[in-house]
Amino acid sequence: MLSTVSTILWTTNAKLIGCIYLNAALCFGMSGLLLSWVMRGELGGLSEQLLFGDHQLYNVFTTSHAMLMIFFFIMPGVMSGLGNLLVPIHLCVPEMVFPKVNNLGAWLLIDAYLLIIGSSWIDEGAGTAWTVYPPLSMSMSHGGIAVDVFIISLHAAGVSSLSGAINLMVTGCYARRTMSSILQVSLYPWSVGITGALLVGVVPVLAGAITMLLTDRCGSTTFYDVVAGGDPVLYQHLFWVFGHPEVYIIILPVFGLVSHSLHRSAIFSLFNSLGMVYAMIAIGVVGYFVWAHHMFTVGLDVDTRVYFSSATLLIALPTSIKMFSWMVALRRVTVSSTVSWYTVGFLLMFLLGGVTGLVLANSEVDLAVHDTYYVVAHFHYVLSLGAVFGMCTGLVATHELIIGYRMPGWLGRVQVLVFLLGTTCVFWGMHMSGALGLPRRVPDSPDGYLINAISTTGGLCTVLLAIALMLSTSLEASLWDTLQTRGTSVVSTHVRRAVLVGSTNLDTASRGQLMLHTCTANSIRSGVSMQC
């Protein structure tokens, strides 16, 4: 027992570290989902429901929910979790370049989670929302050490993200086989590499912003104190220089997962691979220069608002390239698998989120719906739905590789439909409420919004059913295999194959081919003989 614990604690095996990241991300995501359930219970009817009028506690739940889902669920899951599992296989290398740094990043993430949960229990908690804007986050509004612990937690999560990003980026650049071109691998290593470059560029900006906030709270500095000559808008600029590329940090690895899944489903015929690489690079570059479209209400001049509106609309061009390339690749899919259904769900959710993003890119419209549920619904469609559907696509596509068992198709397709229905009920009601002017971060609403609140609550119940179906699907796949009768072994001259009678499991040789299919398929097609 002690040896097993010691092995897990000090492991430098990328596969094991990837499983630690992935399991931790799923657990953290479930805790964030539970917080959203408490908030929805409060919003599900008129007047006070669960929190007895404690609006500070509601804001603490809002803050912790956002941070858990962004920094502790999606980012570690699609970047470090699946990255450690898939990138070495895709690049045909045995291990990550910095294995000990890899181990450090995994445990820093768990430390950061304990700190952020602890900050909710200290004093009155950190109810600053995930943006941590001053003066709300200053000592006069949030006394005690709750916000200080919250900021330290963000530092730990940032170091964890940086360690994973640098590791994946350097592995992609320097550890691949010399005889293979980077254009011959799956698009997932490309997306992870571009995401790593974004993380290295913007996480230090956030670290500087929240460090200045911490010294304002504890060190008598006045960076953001208006009374002493500071400027709170400076914090907003620094935060959104990080915050908007953060959106692409979350979604770019998902783009790679969807592309890789389609690469398999479409029989290694992904359309426009080079164009999709350029599109991801363009999204990453342009994403650096559009941060102030989150700040149209702070009093920007007309010329500045025109620039940021135009630059935001420009991002729709490379995103459209990717959307149409995926749609063409879908035409080459001959089998209606669960992965294909998840891909279609991802495209629908991301398309709806992107269209509402184009609406909010207009500064005059944004002034009208800023800080309403319309904005909440928009970024949930892109992040909560686009990213989660994309992550589910990657998990289902690699389920056999990670766990060793094939998920039953019909149950997976039912789960996709239930998931689509539930998420649409949740966030379409938020769109309608936001268009009617319902402000966010307020735990009550007028009587006229009751129908939308009921729709959202019913949709969340449907989402819970979809999650239960997903877990039962994975469990059923594993149990089904263990109940099947194995056939006798047949020994040939070159390879010993296990003949599986009526089983959904893969034999050893087939699993090896599945693991190495990405690095061999394109090379064989290009006439290069590779031995992985």
Side-chain angles (χ1 to χ4, degrees):
M1 180 64 182
L2 289 177
S3 63
T4 303
V5 173
S6 176
T7 301
I8 295 175
L9 284 176
W10 302 107
T11 181
T12 55
N13 186 326
K15 304 298 183 296
L16 184 53
I17 293 174
C19 290
I20 292 171
Y21 267 117
L22 202 54
N23 285 285
L26 293 176
C27 292
F28 301 161
M30 290 302 295
S31 63
L33 183 66
L34 290 176
L35 290 179
S36 71
W37 266 88
V38 177
M39 292 187 291
R40 181 43 49 190
E42 178 66 26
L43 296 169
L46 303 178
S47 188
E48 288 82 17
Q49 306 291 321
L50 296 178
L51 305 181
F52 305 105
D54 191 346
H55 292 194
Q56 169 65 14
L57 182 58
Y58 179 83
N59 289 330
V60 170
F61 284 164
T62 304
T63 305
S64 299
H65 164 74
M67 285 299 182
L68 287 174
M69 300 307 277
I70 293 174
F71 286 92
F72 294 87
F73 172 48
I74 290 295
M75 280 180 60
V78 299
M79 186 71 177
S80 298
L82 290 173
N84 276 284
L85 287 168
L86 298 180
V87 167
I89 295 173
H90 288 189
L91 298 178
C92 203
V93 296
E95 191 53 79
M96 305 295 285
V97 171
F98 305 121
K100 293 184 179 180
V101 176
N102 210 6
N103 176 276
L104 176 66
W107 299 119
L108 273 176
L109 182 71
I110 296 175
D111 294 338
Y113 174 76
L114 296 176
L115 285 172
I116 200 170
I117 294 299
S119 71
S120 302
W121 293 87
I122 299 172
D123 299 320
E124 292 186 349
T128 60
W130 80 286
T131 51
V132 206
Y133 278 169
L136 181 60
S137 56
M138 301 291 280
S139 298
M140 68 283 292
S141 300
H142 273 81
I145 64 170
V147 176
D148 302 330
V149 175
F150 188 84
I151 291 172
I152 294 171
S153 168
L154 291 185
H155 275 298
V159 173
S160 173
S161 299
L162 275 179
S163 65
I166 293 173
N167 212 344
L168 290 165
M169 188 168 53
V170 174
T171 301
C173 291
Y174 295 106
R176 59 186 173 81
R177 294 177 65 89
T178 56
M179 64 194 326
S180 65
S181 168
I182 190 68
L183 289 176
Q184 292 175 337
V185 302
S186 166
L187 289 182
Y188 183 61
W190 272 101
S191 66
V192 167
I194 296 167
T195 305
L198 282 172
L199 274 167
V200 171
V202 299
V203 167
V205 179
L206 175 69
I210 60 178
T211 300
M212 289 192 288
L213 178 60
L214 189 61
T215 57
D216 274 9
R217 290 179 54 86
C218 305
S220 301
T221 56
T222 57
F223 293 109
Y224 308 126
D225 190 354
V226 178
V227 177
D231 185 8
V233 178
L234 169 64
Y235 177 87
Q236 292 195 32
H237 279 288
L238 291 174
F239 179 85
W240 288 115
V241 166
F242 158 81
H244 192 76
E246 169 69 16
V247 176
Y248 303 112
I249 288 167
I250 292 171
I251 206 68
L252 278 175
V254 173
F255 287 171
L257 284 172
V258 172
S259 299
H260 170 62
S261 303
L262 272 177
H263 186 201
R264 289 186 56 197
S265 303
I267 319 175
F268 305 116
S269 300
L270 187 63
F271 179 75
N272 192 23
S273 295
L274 184 60
M276 295 182 82
V277 170
Y278 284 134
M280 285 192 289
I281 295 174
I283 289 171
V285 171
V286 177
Y288 272 111
F289 302 103
V290 295
W291 74 88
H293 69 216
H294 298 272
M295 302 167 51
F296 284 143
T297 58
V298 302
L300 301 176
D301 60 86
V302 174
D303 292 338
T304 303
R305 286 195 281 128
V306 168
Y307 161 72
F308 282 106
S309 292
S310 304
T312 304
L313 293 172
L314 183 63
I315 296 182
L317 181 60
T319 309
S320 300
I321 292 173
K322 296 194 71 64
M323 289 290 294
F324 286 117
S325 298
W326 284 325
M327 291 170 67
V328 173
L330 275 173
R331 289 176 57 87
R332 301 177 176 180
V333 176
T334 57
V335 178
S336 179
S337 62
T338 307
V339 175
S340 305
W341 284 50
Y342 262 115
T343 304
V344 173
F346 163 78
L347 295 179
L348 288 173
M349 297 296 102
F350 187 73
L351 179 63
L352 285 172
V355 168
T356 53
L358 294 178
V359 173
L360 291 172
N362 188 314
S363 60
E364 301 301 323
V365 176
D366 184 81
L367 290 174
V369 297
H370 193 80
D371 270 338
T372 67
Y373 269 97
Y374 193 92
V375 178
V376 176
H378 157 66
F379 68 69
H380 275 84
Y381 259 117
V382 176
L383 300 184
S384 175
L385 300 185
V388 169
F389 265 92
M391 184 177 178
C392 289
T393 304
L395 285 174
V396 172
T398 57
H399 186 278
E400 206 163 22
L401 173 63
I402 297 171
I403 300 179
Y405 307 106
R406 188 174 304 160
M407 296 176 66
W410 69 272
L411 196 54
R413 290 192 282 272
V414 170
Q415 189 269 329
V416 173
L417 291 176
V418 174
F419 205 13
L420 271 174
L421 176 63
T423 51
T424 303
C425 289
V426 171
F427 297 110
W428 192 250
M430 285 189 182
H431 269 121
M432 296 299 101
S433 299
L436 293 173
L438 180 64
R440 59 177 174 169
R441 298 176 191 153
V442 177
D444 199 1
S445 59
D447 297 357
Y449 296 96
L450 182 60
I451 294 177
N452 291 330
I454 293 173
S455 168
T456 304
T457 305
L460 199 57
C461 295
T462 311
V463 168
L464 182 65
L465 175 61
I467 293 173
L469 277 174
M470 178 186 292
L471 296 176
S472 64
T473 303
S474 178
L475 181 62
E476 193 268 346
S478 303
L479 292 178
W480 175 262
D481 183 79
T482 58
L483 294 174
Q484 301 309 298
T485 304
R486 295 294 206 283
T488 56
S489 298
V490 179
V491 180
S492 64
T493 55
H494 298 289
V495 65
R496 184 177 181 273
R497 294 175 180 270
V499 180
L500 306 178
V501 180
S503 174
T504 56
N505 194 9
L506 287 176
D507 62 359
T508 306
S510 299
R511 186 178 299 148
Q513 292 168 7
L514 174 65
M515 292 176 65
L516 300 177
H517 78 272
T518 307
C519 61
T520 57
N522 289 312
S523 302
I524 292 172
R525 198 165 59 236
S526 62
V528 179
S529 177
M530 293 179 58
Q531 183 179 359
C532 297

